[in-house]
Amino acid sequence: MGLQRKDLLTIAALTADEIQLILTTAESLKEVGGRDIKKVPALRGKTVVNLFFEPSTRTRTSFELAAKRLSADVINFSPSTSSIVKGETLIDTARNIESMQADIIVLRHSSPGAAENLARAVRSSVINAGDGWHEHPTQALLDVFTIKEKKGRVEGLTVVIVGDVAHSRVARSNILALTKLGAEVRVVAPPTMLPLFIEQFGVTVFYHLDEALIGADVIIMLRLQRERLGQALLPSIREYAKLFCLTPERLKLAKPEAIVMHPGPLNRGVEISPSVADSAAAVILDQVTNGVSVRMALMYLLSGSGERSTLNE
Amino acid sequence: MQQKTSQNPASSHMILIQGGIVIDPGHVNGRADLLIQYGKIVEVGFPLTTPINPDSSVTILEAKGWIVAPGLVDLHCHLREPGFEYKETIGTGAASAVAGGFTSVCCMPNTQPVNDNASITKFMLAKGQEAGKARIFPIGAITRKSEGEELADIGELVEAGCVAISDDGRPVMNSLVMRRALEYAKAFGIPVVDHCEDLHLTDGGCMNEGIVSTELGMPGIPDASEEVMVARNLALADLTGVHVHLAHLSTARSVELVRHAKGQGLPVSAEVCPHHFSITEEAVRCYNSNAKMNPPLRTDEDVHALKQGLVDGTIDVIATDHAPHAIQEKQLEFDTAPFGIVGFETALPLTLQLVHDGVLSLEQALDKLTRAPAQLFHLPVGNLQPGSHADVVVLDPNEEWVVDPTQFHSKSQNTPFGGWTVKGKVKMTLVGGRIVYDAR
């Protein structure tokens, strides 16, 4: 049983059933990571290429580990963005890689739509590991996996996403995944960090963290990117921390059993206080562990798909 | 012998375009013949009264079932020469123009070097002469290198042949510099053309800011980016009394602002591009970089308002903003690909769609492509009255054809309309009584 698609490009294109299939598969593969010999032969002889045009350590490592645990051969390819500026298009780079008989290409790129364009140009399966501000589907999948693991369900939960939604692919993919699975999603940020018409995604918009946290089951903190400071989106880190830092006091506004998530890397003392990050409520390291399982599940499902269909036909 | 002389505009040889419907907006609309000699219109009417000497040679061009109109006039295009000859040259651009029915085109100064001095203007004019296709009317820069700081030598530019000034693509952000440019232009009686965009508000955006940009995670260009500059320019037109021509309006509020200003009698005019009234931001969904232009494709509501602006005269003219880019540039990812699409060879059928849809009459539509633009920039073209240049387009308004960018005469193929079935085809184009495009 596989996913009936060639690529995994967006959460937007997935049905709730497809998301459930990925989560169920990840659950059964999670056990591999607990073994003494952490390897299954599912992708033996397959080649996975990590094509990362943006610097990334944890996502790339997570994909690499996932592929290796499935016994695939893994190549990491990180062309500097400047070589692209020099003239080679993404498609040319990718066709080169395809010519080396890559079965799966994992792409991270700063341009929205890069993964979709790549998927159209190559026969290999493409997994989107983040395209600009657009989507980061595997992050959303590992987040919903973690929520389901900790809470037993996603449907009916109140999930609060805190921070720069406008410039966040994590937020977009999470909003889509969570609403598809029936969660009640709130977003809270300074209005400068919320994109136009975000409410049309079926979320409730808040500007004040304390109000948004009341009754929350899950809190997803987004990383504050310091380069936003020069763009008049924020007065200062100091003011952001004052208004949006998740502190133990604020955490008390949520439900007693609420969990706290963060895609990393953390800005301790900015969006999350150390005492919350290190508390029992924080499931940040579980997210990292689950990321490997979810990515294993995806590669397994994509490579095992008998009849392939391309997204957006 | 006869064929040869027919191509020499200076000869006494006559050209008779007969059997068609002549639409010379504001003058003629009906069954008429057109007589041309010495590169000029001799007479238009039916029957003709000019005696045709049986001894003189006459070339008869049959136009039965077709429309005969003044050659189209484009106030806004980019011919890329000098500097970007790999995208387009004045030669290929002029050939593309006449293939689209355009006999006069005004080219923007954002070349390399910028057209901010007489030598570049003269170079462009010479290249236009050499090409021998559409007439080239250069638009000079407002500021030196279009850097928005010091005024270009505007007097010298006008003397060399520039018909207007603009810093298109790099709009003048400093309102004082813009005010001074308008005041200075007053002495020369030329319009000042502005690409209305607040670059700070645009902030690196690459498509319309709205639900689609939010879904795609694409940096957006808000409506306000255009509208605040439209409002500024209207205020400066009022302050200085100088004619400001607003390039490629794209939003409903821009139309409303101009409508209000015209109601107050301000010296303003406005243009719209065919793509802005033909398609919306939805065209960006598949990350098609050929749907990337500036201003960006907007929404259905804006398209509706732009059409209304054309109907009630708020928008005076239709201009192409023909902006060729090479294939390799448009093959980049959407956010890094350059803005702009080619327009000469699709403008007429896209405009005629407004006629087929009952938005404009055929005469209204042609007016916005001929008489109106010529009048705004004081160009000695755009009509078929006796004594005028014999710049003529013969078209079949109902012929359907499929847009195939590989067949364009332009050097570039960057259009979102490839594969479209469109209605309305240029059959023949004449400039100064010479057939420069023939698809009969």
Side-chain angles (χ1 to χ4, degrees), chain B residues 395-419:
Chain B
L395 58 103
D396 180 343
N398 296 313
E399 183 174 334
E400 293 194 352
W401 57 287
V402 176
V403 178
D404 177 1
T406 64
Q407 299 302 307
F408 282 167
H409 292 72
S410 170
K411 205 175 243 194
S412 292
Q413 304 174 6
N414 48 314
T415 175
F417 300 110

Short mmCIF file of all heavy atoms in Angstrom, two decimals, chain B residues 395-419:
data_model
loop_
_atom_site.label_atom_id
_atom_site.label_comp_id
_atom_site.label_asym_id
_atom_site.label_seq_id
_atom_site.Cartn_x
_atom_site.Cartn_y
_atom_site.Cartn_z
N LEU B 395 -7.38 44.25 -40.68
CA LEU B 395 -7.55 43.13 -39.76
C LEU B 395 -8.88 42.44 -39.96
O LEU B 395 -9.86 43.04 -40.43
CB LEU B 395 -7.42 43.62 -38.32
CG LEU B 395 -8.38 44.72 -37.87
CD1 LEU B 395 -9.49 44.15 -37.00
CD2 LEU B 395 -7.61 45.79 -37.09
N ASP B 396 -8.87 41.17 -39.59
CA ASP B 396 -10.12 40.41 -39.57
C ASP B 396 -10.51 40.26 -38.11
O ASP B 396 -9.85 39.55 -37.36
CB ASP B 396 -9.90 39.04 -40.21
CG ASP B 396 -11.17 38.21 -40.23
OD1 ASP B 396 -12.11 38.54 -39.48
OD2 ASP B 396 -11.23 37.23 -40.99
N PRO B 397 -11.57 40.95 -37.69
CA PRO B 397 -11.90 40.93 -36.25
C PRO B 397 -12.42 39.59 -35.77
O PRO B 397 -12.47 39.34 -34.58
CB PRO B 397 -12.97 42.02 -36.12
CG PRO B 397 -13.59 42.12 -37.47
CD PRO B 397 -12.51 41.78 -38.47
N ASN B 398 -12.80 38.72 -36.70
CA ASN B 398 -13.45 37.47 -36.29
C ASN B 398 -12.62 36.22 -36.49
O ASN B 398 -13.01 35.14 -36.07
CB ASN B 398 -14.78 37.32 -37.03
CG ASN B 398 -15.75 38.43 -36.63
OD1 ASN B 398 -15.91 38.73 -35.44
ND2 ASN B 398 -16.34 39.08 -37.62
N GLU B 399 -11.47 36.37 -37.14
CA GLU B 399 -10.68 35.16 -37.40
C GLU B 399 -10.08 34.63 -36.10
O GLU B 399 -9.47 35.36 -35.33
CB GLU B 399 -9.56 35.45 -38.41
CG GLU B 399 -8.77 34.18 -38.74
CD GLU B 399 -7.73 34.37 -39.85
OE1 GLU B 399 -7.92 35.27 -40.69
OE2 GLU B 399 -6.74 33.62 -39.84
N GLU B 400 -10.26 33.34 -35.87
CA GLU B 400 -9.70 32.72 -34.66
C GLU B 400 -8.34 32.11 -34.99
O GLU B 400 -8.13 31.60 -36.08
CB GLU B 400 -10.64 31.64 -34.13
CG GLU B 400 -11.95 32.23 -33.63
CD GLU B 400 -12.75 31.25 -32.79
OE1 GLU B 400 -12.38 30.06 -32.73
OE2 GLU B 400 -13.75 31.69 -32.19
N TRP B 401 -7.46 32.20 -34.05
CA TRP B 401 -6.14 31.59 -34.23
C TRP B 401 -5.58 31.22 -32.86
O TRP B 401 -6.07 31.69 -31.83
CB TRP B 401 -5.19 32.52 -34.99
CG TRP B 401 -4.97 33.89 -34.39
CD1 TRP B 401 -5.87 34.92 -34.38
CD2 TRP B 401 -3.81 34.37 -33.72
NE1 TRP B 401 -5.34 36.03 -33.75
CE2 TRP B 401 -4.06 35.72 -33.34
CE3 TRP B 401 -2.57 33.81 -33.41
CZ2 TRP B 401 -3.12 36.50 -32.65
CZ3 TRP B 401 -1.63 34.61 -32.73
CH2 TRP B 401 -1.92 35.92 -32.37
N VAL B 402 -4.59 30.35 -32.87
CA VAL B 402 -4.01 29.88 -31.61
C VAL B 402 -2.65 30.57 -31.42
O VAL B 402 -1.81 30.56 -32.33
CB VAL B 402 -3.84 28.34 -31.62
CG1 VAL B 402 -3.15 27.87 -30.34
CG2 VAL B 402 -5.19 27.67 -31.78
N VAL B 403 -2.47 31.18 -30.26
CA VAL B 403 -1.22 31.88 -29.99
C VAL B 403 -0.09 30.87 -29.82
O VAL B 403 -0.14 30.00 -28.96
CB VAL B 403 -1.33 32.75 -28.71
CG1 VAL B 403 -0.01 33.43 -28.40
CG2 VAL B 403 -2.46 33.77 -28.85
N ASP B 404 0.91 30.98 -30.68
CA ASP B 404 2.08 30.10 -30.62
C ASP B 404 3.32 30.98 -30.48
O ASP B 404 3.81 31.54 -31.45
CB ASP B 404 2.16 29.25 -31.90
CG ASP B 404 3.41 28.38 -31.92
OD1 ASP B 404 4.19 28.41 -30.94
OD2 ASP B 404 3.60 27.66 -32.92
N PRO B 405 3.83 31.10 -29.25
CA PRO B 405 4.94 32.03 -29.01
C PRO B 405 6.17 31.75 -29.87
O PRO B 405 6.94 32.65 -30.18
CB PRO B 405 5.25 31.83 -27.53
CG PRO B 405 3.99 31.30 -26.94
CD PRO B 405 3.36 30.47 -28.00
N THR B 406 6.33 30.49 -30.30
CA THR B 406 7.52 30.20 -31.11
C THR B 406 7.41 30.87 -32.49
O THR B 406 8.40 30.98 -33.20
CB THR B 406 7.71 28.68 -31.32
OG1 THR B 406 6.60 28.18 -32.06
CG2 THR B 406 7.82 27.95 -29.99
N GLN B 407 6.21 31.30 -32.85
CA GLN B 407 6.02 31.96 -34.14
C GLN B 407 6.09 33.49 -34.03
O GLN B 407 5.90 34.20 -35.02
CB GLN B 407 4.67 31.56 -34.74
CG GLN B 407 4.54 30.07 -35.01
CD GLN B 407 5.62 29.57 -35.96
OE1 GLN B 407 5.82 30.10 -37.04
NE2 GLN B 407 6.36 28.55 -35.52
N PHE B 408 6.32 34.01 -32.83
CA PHE B 408 6.38 35.46 -32.66
C PHE B 408 7.53 36.05 -33.47
O PHE B 408 8.58 35.42 -33.64
CB PHE B 408 6.58 35.83 -31.18
CG PHE B 408 5.35 35.74 -30.33
CD1 PHE B 408 5.45 35.79 -28.94
CD2 PHE B 408 4.08 35.61 -30.89
CE1 PHE B 408 4.32 35.72 -28.13
CE2 PHE B 408 2.95 35.53 -30.10
CZ PHE B 408 3.07 35.58 -28.71
N HIS B 409 7.35 37.28 -33.91
CA HIS B 409 8.44 37.99 -34.58
C HIS B 409 9.39 38.61 -33.55
O HIS B 409 10.51 38.96 -33.85
CB HIS B 409 7.88 39.07 -35.50
CG HIS B 409 7.14 38.49 -36.68
ND1 HIS B 409 5.92 37.87 -36.55
CD2 HIS B 409 7.48 38.39 -37.98
CE1 HIS B 409 5.52 37.42 -37.74
NE2 HIS B 409 6.46 37.72 -38.62
N SER B 410 8.90 38.76 -32.35
CA SER B 410 9.76 39.22 -31.26
C SER B 410 10.86 38.20 -31.01
O SER B 410 10.70 37.01 -31.30
CB SER B 410 8.94 39.38 -29.97
OG SER B 410 9.79 39.60 -28.86
N LYS B 411 11.97 38.67 -30.46
CA LYS B 411 13.06 37.75 -30.13
C LYS B 411 12.69 36.90 -28.91
O LYS B 411 13.27 35.85 -28.68
CB LYS B 411 14.32 38.58 -29.83
CG LYS B 411 15.60 37.84 -30.06
CD LYS B 411 16.79 38.75 -29.85
CE LYS B 411 17.59 38.94 -31.12
NZ LYS B 411 18.90 39.55 -30.86
N SER B 412 11.72 37.35 -28.13
CA SER B 412 11.36 36.64 -26.91
C SER B 412 9.95 36.07 -27.01
O SER B 412 9.15 36.46 -27.86
CB SER B 412 11.47 37.57 -25.71
OG SER B 412 12.83 37.89 -25.48
N GLN B 413 9.69 35.13 -26.12
CA GLN B 413 8.42 34.37 -26.19
C GLN B 413 7.68 34.40 -24.86
O GLN B 413 6.80 33.57 -24.63
CB GLN B 413 8.73 32.91 -26.56
CG GLN B 413 9.48 32.78 -27.86
CD GLN B 413 9.90 31.35 -28.14
OE1 GLN B 413 9.53 30.43 -27.43
NE2 GLN B 413 10.68 31.17 -29.19
N ASN B 414 8.05 35.32 -23.98
CA ASN B 414 7.49 35.29 -22.62
C ASN B 414 6.08 35.84 -22.59
O ASN B 414 5.86 37.03 -22.40
CB ASN B 414 8.41 36.05 -21.65
CG ASN B 414 8.83 37.41 -22.13
OD1 ASN B 414 9.24 37.58 -23.28
ND2 ASN B 414 8.73 38.41 -21.27
N THR B 415 5.12 34.95 -22.77
CA THR B 415 3.72 35.35 -22.72
C THR B 415 2.92 34.31 -21.95
O THR B 415 3.22 33.11 -22.04
CB THR B 415 3.12 35.48 -24.13
OG1 THR B 415 1.71 35.76 -24.01
CG2 THR B 415 3.29 34.21 -24.95
N PRO B 416 1.94 34.75 -21.16
CA PRO B 416 1.05 33.78 -20.51
C PRO B 416 -0.08 33.32 -21.44
O PRO B 416 -0.89 32.50 -21.04
CB PRO B 416 0.48 34.57 -19.33
CG PRO B 416 0.50 36.00 -19.78
CD PRO B 416 1.68 36.13 -20.73
N PHE B 417 -0.10 33.84 -22.67
CA PHE B 417 -1.23 33.54 -23.55
C PHE B 417 -0.92 32.44 -24.57
O PHE B 417 -1.73 32.19 -25.46
CB PHE B 417 -1.70 34.82 -24.26
CG PHE B 417 -2.14 35.89 -23.29
CD1 PHE B 417 -1.38 37.04 -23.10
CD2 PHE B 417 -3.29 35.72 -22.54
CE1 PHE B 417 -1.77 38.00 -22.18
CE2 PHE B 417 -3.70 36.69 -21.62
CZ PHE B 417 -2.93 37.83 -21.44
N GLY B 418 0.25 31.82 -24.46
CA GLY B 418 0.59 30.73 -25.36
C GLY B 418 -0.48 29.64 -25.29
O GLY B 418 -0.91 29.27 -24.20
N GLY B 419 -0.92 29.16 -26.44
CA GLY B 419 -1.93 28.11 -26.46
C GLY B 419 -3.36 28.63 -26.42
O GLY B 419 -4.30 27.86 -26.61
#
